[in-house]
Amino acid sequence: MMLKKALMISGIVLGLTACSGGGGSEETSGGSGEVDTANAEEVFQQNCASCHGGNLEGGAGPALNKVGSDMSKDEILNKIKEGGGGMPANIIEGKNAESVAAWLAEKK
């Protein structure tokens, strides 16, 4: 039983290492304060897909293909900021985090 837990934890750590490779650059859309959802999928692919799957199907992290049915944009944004459950905090930041949260909230 302990070996199973150790292997599972090792897998999570390896998955998180892959997830943390993107960086949290802040891109805005023209400085107008509006959230730019046009690049949200690209930001997701660069920073999140290694754990959540390129088609939101899940992997080391949970599937997100219907996350908007369970969580609001603000709840998703809070999860991105605070992490938890194996996900590192602030994997993406600023306008990029807002864009991805809005994009994911539409997935129902």
Side-chain angles (χ1 to χ4, degrees):
M1 191 72 154
M2 292 285 284
L3 181 59
K4 276 187 172 180
K5 276 188 175 181
L7 289 174
M8 187 170 69
I9 291 170
S10 295
I12 290 170
V13 170
L14 287 173
L16 291 177
T17 302
C19 287
S20 65
S25 65
E26 292 190 35
E27 292 180 20
T28 60
S29 62
S32 66
E34 289 184 25
V35 175
D36 178 14
T37 56
N39 75 334
E41 186 171 1
E42 181 180 341
V43 172
F44 176 88
Q45 292 297 327
Q46 292 172 351
N47 298 283
C48 314
S50 62
C51 291
H52 294 287
N55 294 315
L56 309 174
E57 73 276 11
L64 299 177
N65 54 348
K66 295 182 181 178
V67 69
S69 296
D70 298 324
M71 298 175 76
S72 69
K73 175 194 173 254
D74 290 338
E75 290 170 323
I76 296 168
L77 183 58
N78 188 56
K79 185 68 169 179
I80 292 169
K81 288 180 179 180
E82 297 194 10
M87 181 172 142
N90 296 310
I91 191 81
I92 48 179
E93 298 175 320
K95 296 291 182 186
N96 281 340
E98 291 181 38
S99 296
V100 170
W103 178 69
L104 287 173
E106 296 172 358
K107 307 301 177 196
K108 300 183 183 202

